[in-house]
Amino acid sequence: MSKPPFLTLPDGVRAHRLVTSRGRFAVHDTGGGAAGTALLLPGFTGSKEDFIGLLAPLAAAGLRVVAVDGRGQFETGGPREESAYHLTELARDVHAVAAALDAGAGTPGGVHLLGHSLGGLVARTAVLQDAAPFASLTLMSSGPGAVSDSQQERVRLLLGAMETMSLAAIWEVMQQLDQSVGSAGQAPYSPQEAAETSAAMEEFLRRRWLSDVPEQLTVTGRHLLSEPDRVAEMAALPLPFHVVSGSEDDAWPVPWLDAMARRLGARRTVVPGAGHSPNAERPGATAEALAGFWLSLCPG
């Protein structure tokens, strides 16, 4: 489960519900941005807060940044029907959000789409549906198809637990496991990790987990287990690509991401000292890399 580096919104960032043709979506929105708009999609069990450390530096670089809770995630909510959470439906939501931002061809730079982890699978489905609204695609810690064998085992355990347990009961089990690891001395906390495990952060993580729609977790979890390799389809699109990851990743190993970047002809960024969530673990370096890519695509 990803953890934001902090929870307080930077100055100038507005939390609101964006009205679209497919419903209202909870967003963090920096507003403005002469250099274009970046639309950020979170990963499995994540939320818009995972990008909170990127908002100020990207806005300072001249970008409008909009981080969104997808359908069935945290503050957006969604129906209790599995059919609502197929990747094709989530991708249609992305198109609706992009249209609602009114940041198409008339805005310098256009809409730069970024998907983290599961959000990368949603983002690439959106551009394969129709790439026209997007100026670029960035895949962050998101690979060519299904996740690694070790991650598949974890996802299957979660999906199995959800068949017989409530989200609240699963949360309690996860907390017990975390405490047992900590008490055994196997996962010592750094100062940053200590801040992340504050009472406020833990309450946020609990509230976010309990707010997710179970059917969304079930269906998107299945996609993580079964998604095919669609890199060749993406490579045929007239889009600039950027592949970003930490220097270690247990969901899609770094060599997989290196190979995917080569197949896409993509810019490749590896953020030193980060794992599966460089946006949360090393937001400064991650924002610098993202801004460098997006600003390089600005006209003139």
Side-chain angles (χ1 to χ4, degrees), residues 113-136:
L113 184 59
L114 178 150
H116 172 239
S117 192
L118 171 73
L121 302 186
V122 177
R124 73 181 193 173
T125 304
V127 300
L128 288 169
Q129 285 178 345
D130 182 6
F134 305 107
S136 69

Side-chain angles (χ1 to χ4, degrees), residues 4-292:
F6 50 86
L7 295 174
T8 302
L9 284 179
D11 291 343
V13 176
R14 184 165 71 101
H16 66 100
R17 294 188 180 275
L18 183 72
V19 179
T20 81
S21 61
R22 288 175 63 87
R24 295 173 178 263
F25 291 81
V27 299
H28 288 162
D29 187 349
T30 64
T37 296
L39 174 57
L40 314 182
L41 312 182
F44 187 61
T45 75
S47 67
K48 60 191 177 303
E49 284 75 13
D50 294 335
F51 301 112
I52 201 166
L54 303 180
L55 299 178
L58 290 177
L63 291 146
R64 179 186 184 186
V65 189
V66 179
V68 60
D69 288 337
R71 181 192 299 262
Q73 285 183 320
F74 193 30
E75 293 182 323
T76 290
R80 298 296 303 270
E81 300 171 2
E82 290 190 0
S83 61
Y85 302 105
H86 191 278
L87 285 185
T88 55
E89 291 300 313
L90 300 180
R92 291 186 181 108
D93 290 343
V94 173
H95 279 280
V97 169
L101 293 176
D102 193 25
T107 299
V111 179
H112 298 288
L113 184 59
L114 178 150
H116 172 239
S117 192
L118 171 73
L121 302 186
V122 177
R124 73 181 193 173
T125 304
V127 300
L128 288 169
Q129 285 178 345
D130 182 6
F134 305 107
S136 69
L137 173 62
T138 297
L139 300 173
M140 180 182 290
S141 305
S142 186
V147 293
S148 66
D149 289 346
S150 63
Q151 284 299 304
Q152 289 200 28
E153 181 178 355
R154 295 180 184 180
V155 174
R156 288 193 180 96
L157 284 172
L158 173 60
L159 297 184
M162 290 179 62
E163 293 178 359
T164 59
M165 300 171 65
S166 67
L167 292 184
I170 293 172
W171 174 262
E172 294 303 323
V173 171
M174 291 191 297
Q175 292 300 100
Q176 292 170 12
L177 289 173
D178 286 347
Q179 290 171 7
S180 88
V181 169
S183 65
Q186 297 172 5
Y189 290 134
S190 69
Q192 179 183 2
E193 289 169 332
E196 291 174 346
T197 56
S198 67
M201 181 64 72
E202 288 303 315
E203 174 54 28
F204 162 78
L205 294 174
R206 178 181 181 276
R207 182 164 54 90
R208 178 173 72 175
W209 170 255
L210 296 179
S211 297
D212 282 343
V213 176
E215 287 77 8
Q216 181 266 125
L217 294 172
T218 296
V219 176
T220 55
R222 291 174 188 156
H223 281 298
L224 291 172
L225 298 175
S226 62
E227 183 69 2
D229 185 321
R230 304 191 71 183
V231 176
E233 295 174 72
M234 285 192 290
L237 297 174
L239 275 181
F241 296 100
H242 191 189
V243 175
V244 180
S245 74
S247 52
E248 297 182 6
D249 199 310
D250 57 356
W252 286 275
V254 169
W256 294 14
L257 301 176
D258 292 341
M260 182 177 71
R262 289 193 294 270
R263 293 169 64 194
L264 288 172
R267 180 179 292 200
R268 178 73 172 105
T269 296
V270 177
V271 180
H276 185 60
S277 299
N279 47 305
E281 298 162 17
R282 297 290 184 270
T286 303
E288 182 178 1
L290 294 174

